[in-house]
Amino acid sequence: MRILSLGLTLLLAACASQGDKATIDWQHYAQADTLDIFSPSFSHFEVVNPDQVVLWQSPNRAVLVTVIGACFFNDSSPVLRFTSGMSQVRRDHDAILYDNQRCPISRIQPLDIRKMKKDGVLK
């Protein structure tokens, strides 16, 4: 019985921690001005919705990229590439290559990391 109780506790804790990440309103922290071009050098990425991904360029710099249609169903794929390679990525021209899919980029928005930290969303 103790093992079952411990297992349920761990499962609930895992679900709770997943829920915290999913509750971030990324669009709220996206700046209104969109970028037409950006450099795709990033340290890691985070799938936040089926049609959005956050590219972290540094701990204090990130962009929210929106694609046309739902593309990010499998958030465990470790590789994200661009049709332009690692040169400049252009909105409405380039696409994200992810999990054997081609996802056209419709919007690139810088995130207000300072505001996210101030609001306690990020540490």
Side-chain angles (χ1 to χ4, degrees), residues 13-60:
C15 290
S17 66
Q18 292 267 341
D20 291 344
K21 197 69 149 180
T23 59
I24 296 175
D25 182 3
W26 294 96
Q27 198 61 53
H28 174 73
Y29 296 102
Q31 296 178 10
D33 294 337
T34 61
L35 301 174
D36 289 327
I37 298 175
F38 83 106
S39 174
S41 61
F42 60 95
S43 59
H44 65 284
F45 68 93
E46 185 174 344
V47 173
V48 296
N49 290 310
D51 66 340
Q52 292 181 315
V53 63
V54 173
L55 303 177
W56 292 94
Q57 296 172 312
S58 75
N60 295 313

Side-chain angles (χ1 to χ4, degrees), residues 46-112:
E46 185 174 344
V47 173
V48 296
N49 290 310
D51 66 340
Q52 292 181 315
V53 63
V54 173
L55 303 177
W56 292 94
Q57 296 172 312
S58 75
N60 295 313
R61 189 170 176 195
V63 292
L64 178 66
V65 178
T66 303
V67 298
I68 298 171
C71 190
F72 306 110
F73 292 112
N74 176 12
D75 64 356
S76 64
S77 183
V79 178
L80 183 141
R81 297 177 299 144
F82 298 92
T83 52
S84 65
M86 291 308 284
S87 64
Q88 297 289 319
V89 172
R90 292 177 286 169
R91 175 180 58 88
D92 295 329
H93 182 297
D94 289 308
I96 292 176
L97 304 173
Y98 181 78
D99 198 30
N100 297 320
Q101 298 178 84
R102 188 180 202 291
C103 315
I105 297 171
S106 64
R107 193 169 38 192
I108 304 165
Q109 297 170 279
L111 289 170
D112 189 344

